[in-house]
Amino acid sequence: MATIETHVSGSVLTIELNRPARLNALNAALLEELSEALSAAEDPAVRAVLLTGRGGAFSAGQDLQEAGVGELDYQEHLGRYNRVVLQLRRLPKPVVAAVRGVAAGAGLALALACDLRVLGRDTRLITAFARIALVPDSGMTYTLPRTVGWGRAFELLALSPELSAEEAQRYGLANRVVDEERVFEEASALAARLAEGPTRVFGLIKHALDESARLGLEEVLELEAQLQKLAGEGADHEEGVRAFLEKRAPRFAGR
Ligand code: T3D
């Protein structure tokens, strides 16, 4: 693929945005290839995904130099973004974002659609949309207020400050902050650790969290009961309990 690089190490699929000269700005070709790579992540042999950007940035969002921006067919244009956001959220396995340098606009939205984010100490997060008089898209009005709260979300979206990694961590947007040169290593280690976990249950947890955002308490309790039945019937649950009783570390198969 021209704009995306992928490689598999163990059960971790790494997907790298590969347009470093433009800070991995997103264009139609990249979004198509990203979608293809995320489809490949559905392979049961893949138990965690690492999303990163080549060079000094995660992604500067929509490629503003791409021919046609401003006269786009928005249905088709945003359809490409929406598809990858839904793929990230619906993938029943954890996705870790390794965010170096800067994540802006839809680039930040992609990072927010991942399950965990590792940032470098010098990484900047910028919602960016309002800077060019656009409303947020790619799910940012869903993910951002649910992470940072309503009041902060409006400020970040309207004033679009450069948020430092330290602030991002305080706001709950970063799970880990490490030295810039250790971001990939730390995120890879996290993905590898998750890939040894109960993958199917991670998928159920992800589903439960996403659904809880739109359900009332009674419905959440009902959903938890349904998901617990599925988890309880899984081979990993049996292995987890057996390992506990035998006083050893569990060996989860992801089922
Ligand atoms: O209409 C729609 O498309 C709807 C969908 C919208 C989705 C969105 O994502 S909207 C938001 C789009 N993104 C932005 O507005 C961010 C634009 N970029 C910046 O503000 C800055 O570049 C950064 C704050 C991200 C980084 O600043 P800095 O100083 O570290 O780097 P730089 O010098 O500005 O950029 C380096 C190069 O990357 C530069 O190219 P050059 O001059 O060296 O040839 C710059 O033009 C290029 N670049 C950076 N961002 C983009 C980009 N090229 C195309 N598109 C970009 N988004």
Side-chain angles (χ1 to χ4, degrees):
M1 291 194 237
T3 60
I4 294 283
E5 291 276 332
T6 60
H7 76 266
V8 178
S9 167
S11 333
V12 177
L13 170 70
T14 298
I15 303 177
E16 186 177 47
L17 312 179
N18 184 24
R19 303 187 73 224
R22 290 202 186 169
L23 308 184
N24 300 314
L26 309 165
N27 62 9
L30 185 149
L31 291 167
E32 293 291 346
E33 290 185 1
L34 179 55
S35 175
E36 228 177 282
L38 288 168
S39 296
E42 285 165 22
D43 182 337
V46 173
R47 292 176 59 186
V49 175
L50 176 59
L51 181 64
T52 189
R54 179 162 295 188
F58 180 75
S59 171
Q62 167 63 37
D63 188 335
L64 299 176
Q65 298 179 50
E66 185 176 50
V69 169
E71 327 137 7
L72 293 163
D73 174 341
Y74 270 83
Q75 203 66 23
E76 190 185 334
H77 179 55
L78 290 187
R80 280 188 281 269
Y81 280 105
N82 295 351
R83 185 172 50 176
V84 295
V85 168
L86 287 173
Q87 282 179 288
L88 285 166
R89 291 309 318 148
R90 290 183 180 159
L91 192 68
K93 50 194 90 178
V95 184
V96 179
V99 187
R100 269 187 303 239
V102 66
L108 175 56
L110 290 186
L112 294 180
C114 296
D115 300 299
L116 292 161
R117 282 156 293 283
V118 177
L119 268 60
R121 270 183 228 299
D122 302 325
T123 298
R124 300 164 284 159
L125 304 184
I126 313 166
T127 62
F129 292 90
R131 287 189 181 189
I132 53 169
L134 284 180
V135 295
D137 60 31
S138 308
M140 200 183 272
T141 57
Y142 180 94
T143 51
L144 193 66
R146 284 173 170 79
T147 313
V148 305
W150 196 274
R152 274 179 176 157
F154 183 81
E155 184 179 352
L156 296 181
L157 291 172
L159 300 180
S160 201
E162 284 200 4
L163 208 62
S164 68
E166 193 191 333
E167 288 168 312
Q169 192 166 36
R170 198 151 28 87
Y171 285 13
L173 292 165
N175 298 86
R176 308 262 194 289
V177 174
V178 298
D179 289 341
E180 210 67 24
E181 61 277 10
R182 286 199 51 245
V183 170
F184 185 76
E185 186 188 332
E186 179 76 17
S188 295
L190 197 52
R193 184 175 153 199
L194 289 162
E196 290 185 351
T199 312
R200 181 165 160 272
V201 165
F202 289 157
L204 299 179
I205 293 172
K206 203 167 157 167
H207 178 67
L209 285 176
D210 279 0
E211 288 296 296
S212 78
R214 61 176 190 86
L215 298 177
L217 178 59
E218 281 181 17
E219 294 162 305
V220 164
L221 292 170
E222 178 54 35
L223 178 65
E224 285 175 352
Q226 288 168 17
L227 298 180
Q228 199 63 289
K229 181 171 185 304
L230 291 175
E233 289 165 357
D236 282 342
H237 172 59
E238 196 183 323
E239 163 62 8
V241 173
R242 196 179 317 119
F244 172 76
L245 296 175
E246 293 171 4
K247 300 188 187 304
R248 61 171 173 82
R251 289 181 294 271
F252 292 122
R255 287 180 275 116

mmCIF file with all atom_site columns, all heavy atoms in Angstrom, residues 2 51 68 74 84-85 89 95 97 127 168 201 249 255:
data_model
loop_
_atom_site.group_PDB
_atom_site.id
_atom_site.type_symbol
_atom_site.label_atom_id
_atom_site.label_alt_id
_atom_site.label_comp_id
_atom_site.label_asym_id
_atom_site.label_entity_id
_atom_site.label_seq_id
_atom_site.pdbx_PDB_ins_code
_atom_site.Cartn_x
_atom_site.Cartn_y
_atom_site.Cartn_z
_atom_site.occupancy
_atom_site.B_iso_or_equiv
_atom_site.pdbx_formal_charge
_atom_site.auth_seq_id
_atom_site.auth_comp_id
_atom_site.auth_asym_id
_atom_site.auth_atom_id
_atom_site.pdbx_PDB_model_num
ATOM 1   N N   . ALA A 1 2   ? 0.439   2.292   -0.647 1.00 0.00 ? 2   ALA A N   1
ATOM 2   C CA  . ALA A 1 2   ? 1.295   3.464   -0.817 1.00 0.00 ? 2   ALA A CA  1
ATOM 3   C C   . ALA A 1 2   ? 1.272   4.407   0.397  1.00 0.00 ? 2   ALA A C   1
ATOM 4   O O   . ALA A 1 2   ? 2.295   4.985   0.758  1.00 0.00 ? 2   ALA A O   1
ATOM 5   C CB  . ALA A 1 2   ? 0.867   4.221   -2.064 1.00 0.00 ? 2   ALA A CB  1
ATOM 6   N N   . LEU A 1 51  ? -1.926  1.630   16.082 1.00 0.00 ? 51  LEU A N   1
ATOM 7   C CA  . LEU A 1 51  ? -2.054  2.632   15.009 1.00 0.00 ? 51  LEU A CA  1
ATOM 8   C C   . LEU A 1 51  ? -1.052  3.751   15.284 1.00 0.00 ? 51  LEU A C   1
ATOM 9   O O   . LEU A 1 51  ? -1.031  4.319   16.380 1.00 0.00 ? 51  LEU A O   1
ATOM 10  C CB  . LEU A 1 51  ? -3.485  3.190   14.983 1.00 0.00 ? 51  LEU A CB  1
ATOM 11  C CG  . LEU A 1 51  ? -3.787  4.226   13.895 1.00 0.00 ? 51  LEU A CG  1
ATOM 12  C CD1 . LEU A 1 51  ? -3.666  3.621   12.497 1.00 0.00 ? 51  LEU A CD1 1
ATOM 13  C CD2 . LEU A 1 51  ? -5.197  4.797   14.082 1.00 0.00 ? 51  LEU A CD2 1
ATOM 14  N N   . GLY A 1 68  ? -9.640  19.583  -4.650 1.00 0.00 ? 68  GLY A N   1
ATOM 15  C CA  . GLY A 1 68  ? -11.067 19.317  -4.502 1.00 0.00 ? 68  GLY A CA  1
ATOM 16  C C   . GLY A 1 68  ? -11.637 19.677  -3.145 1.00 0.00 ? 68  GLY A C   1
ATOM 17  O O   . GLY A 1 68  ? -12.838 19.826  -3.004 1.00 0.00 ? 68  GLY A O   1
ATOM 18  N N   . TYR A 1 74  ? -19.655 15.792  0.070  1.00 0.00 ? 74  TYR A N   1
ATOM 19  C CA  . TYR A 1 74  ? -19.434 15.542  1.502  1.00 0.00 ? 74  TYR A CA  1
ATOM 20  C C   . TYR A 1 74  ? -19.911 14.167  1.939  1.00 0.00 ? 74  TYR A C   1
ATOM 21  O O   . TYR A 1 74  ? -19.353 13.566  2.853  1.00 0.00 ? 74  TYR A O   1
ATOM 22  C CB  . TYR A 1 74  ? -20.045 16.664  2.350  1.00 0.00 ? 74  TYR A CB  1
ATOM 23  C CG  . TYR A 1 74  ? -19.003 17.739  2.564  1.00 0.00 ? 74  TYR A CG  1
ATOM 24  C CD1 . TYR A 1 74  ? -18.790 18.708  1.600  1.00 0.00 ? 74  TYR A CD1 1
ATOM 25  C CD2 . TYR A 1 74  ? -18.179 17.734  3.679  1.00 0.00 ? 74  TYR A CD2 1
ATOM 26  C CE1 . TYR A 1 74  ? -17.796 19.661  1.754  1.00 0.00 ? 74  TYR A CE1 1
ATOM 27  C CE2 . TYR A 1 74  ? -17.179 18.674  3.843  1.00 0.00 ? 74  TYR A CE2 1
ATOM 28  C CZ  . TYR A 1 74  ? -16.992 19.631  2.882  1.00 0.00 ? 74  TYR A CZ  1
ATOM 29  O OH  . TYR A 1 74  ? -16.002 20.551  3.031  1.00 0.00 ? 74  TYR A OH  1
ATOM 30  N N   . VAL A 1 84  ? -13.921 4.423   8.659  1.00 0.00 ? 84  VAL A N   1
ATOM 31  C CA  . VAL A 1 84  ? -12.776 3.981   9.470  1.00 0.00 ? 84  VAL A CA  1
ATOM 32  C C   . VAL A 1 84  ? -13.049 4.190   10.965 1.00 0.00 ? 84  VAL A C   1
ATOM 33  O O   . VAL A 1 84  ? -12.620 3.384   11.794 1.00 0.00 ? 84  VAL A O   1
ATOM 34  C CB  . VAL A 1 84  ? -11.419 4.623   9.061  1.00 0.00 ? 84  VAL A CB  1
ATOM 35  C CG1 . VAL A 1 84  ? -11.013 4.191   7.681  1.00 0.00 ? 84  VAL A CG1 1
ATOM 36  C CG2 . VAL A 1 84  ? -11.414 6.101   9.174  1.00 0.00 ? 84  VAL A CG2 1
ATOM 37  N N   . VAL A 1 85  ? -13.784 5.247   11.309 1.00 0.00 ? 85  VAL A N   1
ATOM 38  C CA  . VAL A 1 85  ? -14.111 5.462   12.736 1.00 0.00 ? 85  VAL A CA  1
ATOM 39  C C   . VAL A 1 85  ? -14.968 4.296   13.239 1.00 0.00 ? 85  VAL A C   1
ATOM 40  O O   . VAL A 1 85  ? -14.710 3.731   14.314 1.00 0.00 ? 85  VAL A O   1
ATOM 41  C CB  . VAL A 1 85  ? -14.834 6.817   12.936 1.00 0.00 ? 85  VAL A CB  1
ATOM 42  C CG1 . VAL A 1 85  ? -15.428 6.920   14.325 1.00 0.00 ? 85  VAL A CG1 1
ATOM 43  C CG2 . VAL A 1 85  ? -13.859 7.968   12.691 1.00 0.00 ? 85  VAL A CG2 1
ATOM 44  N N   . ARG A 1 89  ? -14.066 1.483   16.148 1.00 0.00 ? 89  ARG A N   1
ATOM 45  C CA  . ARG A 1 89  ? -14.903 1.255   17.325 1.00 0.00 ? 89  ARG A CA  1
ATOM 46  C C   . ARG A 1 89  ? -15.494 -0.146  17.343 1.00 0.00 ? 89  ARG A C   1
ATOM 47  O O   . ARG A 1 89  ? -15.696 -0.723  18.396 1.00 0.00 ? 89  ARG A O   1
ATOM 48  C CB  . ARG A 1 89  ? -16.050 2.285   17.410 1.00 0.00 ? 89  ARG A CB  1
ATOM 49  C CG  . ARG A 1 89  ? -15.637 3.709   17.718 1.00 0.00 ? 89  ARG A CG  1
ATOM 50  C CD  . ARG A 1 89  ? -14.725 3.865   18.924 1.00 0.00 ? 89  ARG A CD  1
ATOM 51  N NE  . ARG A 1 89  ? -15.075 3.057   20.055 1.00 0.00 ? 89  ARG A NE  1
ATOM 52  C CZ  . ARG A 1 89  ? -14.174 2.568   20.917 1.00 0.00 ? 89  ARG A CZ  1
ATOM 53  N NH1 . ARG A 1 89  ? -12.893 2.818   20.763 1.00 0.00 ? 89  ARG A NH1 1
ATOM 54  N NH2 . ARG A 1 89  ? -14.556 1.845   21.942 1.00 0.00 ? 89  ARG A NH2 1
ATOM 55  N N   . VAL A 1 95  ? -7.378  -1.400  20.273 1.00 0.00 ? 95  VAL A N   1
ATOM 56  C CA  . VAL A 1 95  ? -6.554  -0.617  19.352 1.00 0.00 ? 95  VAL A CA  1
ATOM 57  C C   . VAL A 1 95  ? -5.810  0.444   20.173 1.00 0.00 ? 95  VAL A C   1
ATOM 58  O O   . VAL A 1 95  ? -6.435  1.240   20.888 1.00 0.00 ? 95  VAL A O   1
ATOM 59  C CB  . VAL A 1 95  ? -7.400  0.093   18.274 1.00 0.00 ? 95  VAL A CB  1
ATOM 60  C CG1 . VAL A 1 95  ? -6.488  0.809   17.275 1.00 0.00 ? 95  VAL A CG1 1
ATOM 61  C CG2 . VAL A 1 95  ? -8.310  -0.899  17.547 1.00 0.00 ? 95  VAL A CG2 1
ATOM 62  N N   . ALA A 1 97  ? -3.221  3.690   20.129 1.00 0.00 ? 97  ALA A N   1
ATOM 63  C CA  . ALA A 1 97  ? -2.648  4.722   19.252 1.00 0.00 ? 97  ALA A CA  1
ATOM 64  C C   . ALA A 1 97  ? -1.323  5.197   19.844 1.00 0.00 ? 97  ALA A C   1
ATOM 65  O O   . ALA A 1 97  ? -1.254  5.555   21.022 1.00 0.00 ? 97  ALA A O   1
ATOM 66  C CB  . ALA A 1 97  ? -3.611  5.899   19.118 1.00 0.00 ? 97  ALA A CB  1
ATOM 67  N N   . THR A 1 127 ? -7.751  20.288  18.206 1.00 0.00 ? 127 THR A N   1
ATOM 68  C CA  . THR A 1 127 ? -8.997  19.878  17.536 1.00 0.00 ? 127 THR A CA  1
ATOM 69  C C   . THR A 1 127 ? -9.028  20.464  16.118 1.00 0.00 ? 127 THR A C   1
ATOM 70  O O   . THR A 1 127 ? -9.518  19.814  15.194 1.00 0.00 ? 127 THR A O   1
ATOM 71  C CB  . THR A 1 127 ? -10.248 20.297  18.333 1.00 0.00 ? 127 THR A CB  1
ATOM 72  O OG1 . THR A 1 127 ? -10.287 21.717  18.428 1.00 0.00 ? 127 THR A OG1 1
ATOM 73  C CG2 . THR A 1 127 ? -10.248 19.678  19.724 1.00 0.00 ? 127 THR A CG2 1
ATOM 74  N N   . ALA A 1 168 ? -3.254  16.892  28.220 1.00 0.00 ? 168 ALA A N   1
ATOM 75  C CA  . ALA A 1 168 ? -4.033  15.798  27.637 1.00 0.00 ? 168 ALA A CA  1
ATOM 76  C C   . ALA A 1 168 ? -4.184  14.666  28.647 1.00 0.00 ? 168 ALA A C   1
ATOM 77  O O   . ALA A 1 168 ? -5.254  14.068  28.773 1.00 0.00 ? 168 ALA A O   1
ATOM 78  C CB  . ALA A 1 168 ? -3.354  15.286  26.366 1.00 0.00 ? 168 ALA A CB  1
ATOM 79  N N   . VAL A 1 201 ? -13.190 -11.087 25.313 1.00 0.00 ? 201 VAL A N   1
ATOM 80  C CA  . VAL A 1 201 ? -13.768 -10.292 26.403 1.00 0.00 ? 201 VAL A CA  1
ATOM 81  C C   . VAL A 1 201 ? -13.433 -8.808  26.213 1.00 0.00 ? 201 VAL A C   1
ATOM 82  O O   . VAL A 1 201 ? -14.266 -7.931  26.475 1.00 0.00 ? 201 VAL A O   1
ATOM 83  C CB  . VAL A 1 201 ? -13.276 -10.831 27.772 1.00 0.00 ? 201 VAL A CB  1
ATOM 84  C CG1 . VAL A 1 201 ? -13.547 -9.851  28.894 1.00 0.00 ? 201 VAL A CG1 1
ATOM 85  C CG2 . VAL A 1 201 ? -13.965 -12.152 28.056 1.00 0.00 ? 201 VAL A CG2 1
ATOM 86  N N   . ALA A 1 249 ? -0.104  -17.951 36.262 1.00 0.00 ? 249 ALA A N   1
ATOM 87  C CA  . ALA A 1 249 ? -0.589  -16.916 35.333 1.00 0.00 ? 249 ALA A CA  1
ATOM 88  C C   . ALA A 1 249 ? -1.479  -17.575 34.277 1.00 0.00 ? 249 ALA A C   1
ATOM 89  O O   . ALA A 1 249 ? -1.168  -18.680 33.817 1.00 0.00 ? 249 ALA A O   1
ATOM 90  C CB  . ALA A 1 249 ? 0.598   -16.242 34.656 1.00 0.00 ? 249 ALA A CB  1
ATOM 91  N N   . ARG A 1 255 ? -10.390 -16.605 23.286 1.00 0.00 ? 255 ARG A N   1
ATOM 92  C CA  . ARG A 1 255 ? -11.714 -17.124 22.937 1.00 0.00 ? 255 ARG A CA  1
ATOM 93  C C   . ARG A 1 255 ? -12.660 -17.136 24.131 1.00 0.00 ? 255 ARG A C   1
ATOM 94  O O   . ARG A 1 255 ? -12.249 -17.245 25.241 1.00 0.00 ? 255 ARG A O   1
ATOM 95  C CB  . ARG A 1 255 ? -11.592 -18.566 22.408 1.00 0.00 ? 255 ARG A CB  1
ATOM 96  C CG  . ARG A 1 255 ? -10.987 -18.593 21.013 1.00 0.00 ? 255 ARG A CG  1
ATOM 97  C CD  . ARG A 1 255 ? -10.867 -19.990 20.471 1.00 0.00 ? 255 ARG A CD  1
ATOM 98  N NE  . ARG A 1 255 ? -9.631  -20.618 20.933 1.00 0.00 ? 255 ARG A NE  1
ATOM 99  C CZ  . ARG A 1 255 ? -9.563  -21.689 21.714 1.00 0.00 ? 255 ARG A CZ  1
ATOM 100 N NH1 . ARG A 1 255 ? -10.643 -22.252 22.164 1.00 0.00 ? 255 ARG A NH1 1
ATOM 101 N NH2 . ARG A 1 255 ? -8.401  -22.192 22.079 1.00 0.00 ? 255 ARG A NH2 1
#
